[in-house]
Amino acid sequence: MMLDKLNPEQRAAVTLEPQHALVLAGAGSGKTRVLTTRMAWLIQTGQATPFALLAVTFTNKAAREMLARMSAILPIDTRGLWIGTFHGLCNRMLRAHHRDAGLPQSFQILDTSDQLAAIKRLMKANNIDDEKFPARDIQRFINGAKEAGERPGVIDADNSHHRKQIEIYQLYEAQCQREGVVDFAELLLRAFELLKHNAPVREHYQRRFRHILVDEFQDTNTLQYQWLKMLAGGGASIFAVGDDDQSIYAFRGANVGNMADFERDYARGTVIRLEQNYRSYGHILDAANALIGHNSGRLGKNLWTEQGEGEPIRVIEQPSDGMEAQWLVDEVRALINEGRLRREIAVLYRSNAQSRVIEHALFSAGIPYKVYGGLRFFERQEIKHALAYLRLMANPHDDTSWMRVVNFPTRGIGARTLEQLADAARSHDTSLYGAVARVGGKGGSNLAQFAQLIGRMAHETRELPLPELVEHMLANSGLIEHYKADRDGAERLENLNELITAAAVFASEENFDGLPAGIVPDIAGDSGLMPGVVDAPVDVTSGMTPLAAFLSHASLEAGDNQAQAGEDAVQLMTVHAAKGLEFDAVFITGLEEGLFPHENSILEASGLEEERRLMYVAITRARERLYLTLAQSRMLHGQTRYAMRSRFLDEIPEQHLKWLTPRGGASHAYAGFGESAARVNHGDAFGRPATRTIAPRTPRGVTSGVTVGDQHFRIGQGVRHARFGDGTIIGLSGSGQDAQAQIQFRDVGAKTLALGIAKLEIVQG
């Protein structure tokens, strides 16, 4: 009965005799059904008792789903089953053997933020310079060492800096042991060491767990694999299910090579491939297969479906990221009008910073949306810090903003100093800013320096346009330097740079472009109306400075249109966050070189292959309709940047794509800044042609075009170099034989070349 709904490959996996086996389960191939049915089949056929099963998942949600499905298949009490995440199972093991593990019975678990706070406290107590040894770097070092199975005493120091890191690790271990706490990495390492060094405990679990089932095996790290091998050392069989084509967590320590190692060391030819997909139509799957085929060293599989080809993948290329977002919103509205639920529409992006322009377009259109697995742009920590500085520049008496950033980045203003400041403000009925002069000592001096910083930034930017004001604040507040020093701060820096873009777009939309941020605009303008009378709906920006208007805009976007719990809403998320999910319609945005694939990965083969796996994951999220979108230009750091189409578009066969903009020639046609306007053809969702006029603008300080010999070069133009390959001109300077071009090459990054000697070939499509 339980086998009736399984296809032949699924049935073969479920009914395999007890032995080591690797199940290569493609996206949408029913791997959870196989895992749960395998466990139920082993129990029902008498080959195992529930007591003898150990099932490892990577999320608590997956563990709950497996337990629920088991309950539906077999009438057994699932409460005693060992089904859970690596951390959850290790916690359970350590609770049962806390004395053997050297832990108190009531040991507490530190989450990531608690661990960081503990490290900071340790460093302060031991007078360790947090400039030389940032707490986050120490946290990363400790967790990396633990995930490699290394205690402080076995690590060889390479230099004095490394020796100090090891010393801090040793102090941290002693502190945790003294306080009876463990971090996430410690849970796994302590459980591994328990099995390794305690033969009675090891043999107990080896006798007990005769069948070990592992979900998402491609996401295991080195220590997790060692823990599994230790448990299986008594003759248990490991049933590993995974997909090497969906290994996208190398940055977390996942080792895709574990799958090949397991196949060689354990499975030894017992590999079952689940290739029938129950999620997507043929065009989507064939595109995914073709794309991932460019990766080397794959274990290999080919997804297929009985559902038919479905619709080809729609590809749209727009002149700018703003127009990309607007087209996307128009298409989302059309899908909703067709009767699709908003929650079945997903917009995916490679970088969190991309969400800002998409959020703004959805917000402006009044379409509810939800940022899945993350915060909306204006709610992100670094953006809220930046907005607090801007608010203080507009109004230094804003106590909430003052408290948020008075000591961020740290400037020696402690809790005691802030208490004194608050007391002084209350007793003199003034703001915190107004009470600064009433606090003495070193703390008071530091407060005064902060107040002076705010005043100086406000004074120095009073004549600057809004985007330049934001840029000045980021550079002088210390936020940029703070996140540059944080090895995990790259994404936060991207978001801060996107704030400059948001300010530039807002200034342009509200006709504040080029207007000093401290000047109140003449709203009536040249309308001929009397001053103060506007022949238009009332606007929040009326009578406000550009900075004040922008801050109001940010507050409104942060507060409105975010879907409430349970509300039908469009789903926005990064590709990483989308893994494991599926939707009727999916938009994959920003398919440009340097964005997807990301510029940090392009020059390394392993990095590029992981980017390709990310794209594979993104494609296979779509059930019925898939859109690929890209922009010829993006606003970054408040300036326009030009990019080439992603190589991933070239790796998908043409028969699976339906270009809503012409593939040949359209890519660079609009970029001739010498023309008054360019006409860019694009189609609607059904491929019907339409025409839109774009008025290009030349960024300040940029030469729009130069002529060298009989060739005319312009920004945004595609070119080919004999050595560096294909690229796009992103900057021009000089004239005639002295002209130079900055070119973003697909394979080698940005280069500056002398046009008189570079022998460039102009590429039109």
Side-chain angles (χ1 to χ4, degrees):
M1 187 79 172
M2 71 174 66
L3 304 179
D4 290 348
K5 295 182 179 180
L6 302 180
N7 66 37
E9 291 75 25
Q10 291 173 332
R11 184 184 293 244
V14 167
T15 60
L16 190 71
E17 292 301 309
Q19 60 184 291
H20 299 304
L22 177 61
V23 179
L24 277 179
S29 63
K31 69 177 177 63
T32 304
R33 172 183 287 183
V34 166
L35 275 166
T36 52
T37 309
R38 168 75 173 172
M39 288 189 287
W41 183 79
L42 287 170
I43 294 169
Q44 190 178 66
T45 57
Q47 297 181 71
T49 66
F51 185 79
L53 297 177
L54 175 72
V56 189
T57 68
F58 265 82
T59 65
N60 290 314
K61 178 183 176 184
R64 288 193 297 269
E65 184 179 352
M66 289 179 70
L67 285 168
R69 292 197 187 192
M70 281 286 290
S71 299
I73 297 173
L74 285 180
I76 61 172
D77 185 355
T78 60
R79 285 178 296 179
L81 288 173
W82 277 56
I83 298 177
T85 64
F86 278 102
H87 292 119
L89 295 172
C90 287
N91 176 53
R92 187 169 177 175
M93 186 178 287
L94 292 174
R95 296 286 176 189
H97 305 280
H98 62 90
R99 287 192 184 89
D100 294 316
L103 291 170
Q105 185 174 9
S106 59
F107 70 84
Q108 299 298 307
I109 300 172
L110 301 175
D111 64 19
T112 304
S113 60
D114 290 337
Q115 182 192 26
L116 184 62
I119 291 170
K120 289 179 177 178
R121 178 162 48 85
L122 168 79
M123 294 176 65
K124 185 174 182 179
N126 289 274
N127 296 315
I128 297 170
D129 187 350
D130 59 1
E131 293 289 331
K132 290 183 180 178
F133 300 95
R136 286 190 184 276
D137 286 359
I138 296 298
Q139 181 182 39
R140 188 166 30 251
F141 172 78
I142 291 172
N143 290 341
K146 289 184 178 185
E147 287 167 5
E150 296 176 334
R151 293 295 184 187
V154 303
I155 304 174
D156 293 326
D158 298 331
N159 51 52
S160 59
H161 186 85
H162 192 200
R163 190 176 300 110
K164 188 65 176 180
Q165 289 179 316
I166 297 169
E167 179 188 325
I168 298 170
Y169 180 11
Q170 199 158 17
L171 290 169
Y172 171 75
E173 277 207 324
Q175 174 178 287
C176 289
Q177 192 67 28
R178 186 170 59 252
E179 297 176 2
V181 297
V182 297
D183 54 52
F184 286 147
E186 182 70 19
L187 281 173
L188 189 58
L189 179 55
R190 189 74 66 114
F192 172 75
E193 291 173 339
L194 172 68
L195 296 176
K196 182 178 180 180
H197 301 305
N198 192 310
V201 173
R202 179 176 67 249
E203 291 164 4
H204 164 75
Y205 285 107
Q206 287 177 343
R207 285 193 303 270
R208 172 175 180 170
F209 297 129
R210 309 307 297 162
H211 301 273
I212 301 172
L213 302 96
V214 189
D215 191 14
E216 305 285 11
F217 193 81
Q218 77 279 353
D219 293 334
T220 54
N221 64 29
T222 300
L223 186 58
Q224 288 165 344
Y225 188 25
Q226 293 298 318
W227 184 75
L228 292 170
K229 290 166 73 174
M230 188 75 69
L231 286 170
S237 60
I238 301 179
F239 187 84
V241 182
D243 183 1
D244 56 330
D245 291 332
Q246 294 190 73
S247 180
I248 59 173
Y249 295 119
F251 66 95
R252 292 184 190 167
N255 181 8
V256 66
N258 283 350
M259 292 195 73
D261 290 346
F262 178 79
E263 194 275 332
R264 182 185 63 250
D265 299 338
Y266 286 89
R268 296 174 185 169
T270 305
V271 179
I272 298 173
R273 289 170 169 80
L274 304 184
E275 298 174 302
Q276 183 174 359
N277 178 282
Y278 294 92
R279 175 187 301 160
S280 309
Y281 283 106
H283 277 303
I284 294 170
L285 297 180
D286 289 344
N289 289 331
L291 175 92
I292 203 64
H294 287 79
N295 273 5
S296 61
R298 297 173 58 233
L299 294 171
K301 66 182 182 314
N302 202 60
L303 298 179
W304 61 277
T305 181
E306 292 181 341
Q307 297 186 91
E309 286 192 334
E311 302 174 2
I313 300 166
R314 293 163 166 82
V315 187
I316 181 74
E317 181 174 16
Q318 291 285 30
S320 68
D321 53 345
M323 294 180 69
E324 176 195 38
Q326 187 55 56
W327 180 89
L328 184 151
V329 166
D330 291 343
E331 187 62 21
V332 165
R333 190 182 283 115
L335 289 169
I336 295 169
N337 290 339
E338 288 177 16
R340 295 184 187 273
L341 296 173
R342 287 190 286 263
R343 63 175 171 269
E344 288 299 342
I345 302 170
V347 180
L348 310 185
Y349 35 82
R350 176 62 182 87
S351 167
N352 262 314
Q354 289 173 255
S355 78
R356 200 274 314 165
V357 67
I358 298 169
E359 288 186 54
H360 177 62
L362 288 166
F363 169 81
S364 300
I367 298 175
Y369 66 91
K370 178 176 178 59
V371 178
Y372 181 91
L375 296 171
R376 298 195 304 168
F377 181 78
F378 285 113
E379 294 173 341
R380 293 168 191 162
Q381 178 205 77
E382 61 278 10
I383 298 302
K384 294 184 79 169
H385 287 331
L387 292 175
Y389 275 104
L390 292 174
R391 289 192 175 100
L392 288 175
M393 290 164 64
N395 172 22
H397 300 285
D398 180 342
D399 283 358
T400 301
S401 296
W402 178 279
M403 289 301 295
R404 183 176 190 91
V405 295
V406 66
N407 199 41
F408 190 92
T410 56
R411 44 179 62 91
I413 300 172
R416 179 65 188 139
T417 299
L418 291 176
E419 286 176 12
Q420 292 174 345
L421 180 65
D423 290 343
R426 275 194 300 272
S427 62
H428 291 85
D429 193 23
T430 185
S431 66
L432 297 175
Y433 172 79
V436 167
R438 302 182 183 279
V439 179
K442 189 174 187 303
S445 175
N446 291 338
L447 283 171
Q449 288 179 28
F450 175 70
Q452 289 164 10
L453 169 67
I454 297 300
R456 185 168 62 252
M457 289 194 298
H459 176 75
E460 291 171 351
T461 59
R462 69 189 189 282
E463 297 296 328
L464 292 180
L466 182 61
E468 293 179 25
L469 179 152
V470 174
E471 189 171 13
H472 184 280
M473 176 277 296
L474 291 174
N476 288 272
S477 64
L479 289 176
I480 292 292
E481 289 305 314
H482 172 80
Y483 289 117
K484 275 184 178 178
D486 182 353
R487 288 188 184 175
D488 294 327
E491 190 171 280
R492 297 191 188 278
L493 283 171
E494 285 185 3
N495 287 331
L496 289 175
N497 285 322
E498 182 62 20
L499 184 65
I500 302 172
T501 299
V505 171
F506 176 80
S508 177
E509 288 179 347
E510 299 298 333
N511 295 318
F512 294 159
D513 202 13
L515 187 69
I519 304 298
V520 179
D522 176 9
I523 301 297
D526 298 324
S527 64
L529 299 174
M530 292 179 64
V533 180
V534 184
D535 190 17
V538 175
D539 191 280
V540 296
T541 63
S542 181
M544 301 172 71
T545 68
L547 175 57
F550 178 63
L551 291 171
S552 295
H553 159 77
S555 297
L556 289 170
E557 284 215 8
D560 287 348
N561 256 55
Q562 173 76 326
Q564 301 302 310
E567 183 182 354
D568 187 27
V570 175
Q571 306 291 302
L572 272 61
M573 67 195 75
T574 64
V575 179
H576 279 103
K579 188 171 180 290
L581 305 177
E582 56 187 82
F583 306 91
D584 286 347
V586 172
F587 295 82
I588 307 175
T589 62
L591 279 169
E592 300 131 34
E593 286 291 298
L595 188 54
F596 202 3
H598 197 275
E599 60 187 352
N600 294 342
S601 308
I602 287 176
L603 298 181
E604 296 180 10
S606 61
L608 183 58
E609 293 209 343
E610 177 132 343
E611 289 292 300
R612 193 173 283 113
R613 292 195 292 269
L614 261 178
M615 182 64 178
Y616 177 83
V617 166
I619 291 172
T620 54
R621 299 310 93 198
R623 286 193 284 255
E624 299 174 13
R625 193 176 290 186
L626 177 62
Y627 300 86
L628 309 179
T629 74
L630 63 150
Q632 296 158 351
S633 65
R634 283 190 184 273
M635 284 279 282
L636 295 171
H637 312 270
Q639 295 182 339
T640 303
R641 303 289 179 88
Y642 299 88
M644 296 176 64
R645 292 171 180 160
S646 170
R647 70 189 70 199
F648 296 155
L649 290 169
D650 297 328
E651 294 174 358
I652 298 174
E654 282 293 322
Q655 64 263 32
H656 305 306
L657 303 178
K658 181 177 184 179
W659 284 80
L660 304 185
T661 43
R663 176 137 197 184
S667 175
H668 310 296
Y670 91 103
F673 287 102
E675 301 165 10
S676 60
R679 299 182 68 79
V680 178
N681 291 317
H682 64 89
D684 61 14
F686 305 98
R688 294 187 291 261
T691 305
R692 186 167 183 176
T693 300
I694 301 98
R697 298 169 58 193
T698 305
R700 282 173 292 185
V702 175
T703 300
S704 61
V706 298
T707 300
V708 181
D710 58 355
Q711 288 183 302
H712 183 72
F713 298 95
R714 61 178 183 269
I715 292 176
Q717 191 173 49
V719 293
R720 182 171 296 141
H721 186 271
R723 178 182 173 190
F724 301 134
D726 288 353
T728 300
I729 297 176
I730 59 175
L732 292 167
S733 62
S735 60
Q737 293 298 314
D738 295 326
Q740 292 185 331
Q742 186 180 12
I743 303 169
Q744 181 69 40
F745 287 101
R746 168 173 289 179
D747 297 322
V748 298
K751 302 282 184 184
T752 299
L753 302 179
L755 292 174
I757 59 175
K759 296 182 180 178
L760 293 174
E761 175 189 349
I762 295 174
V763 180
Q764 293 299 335

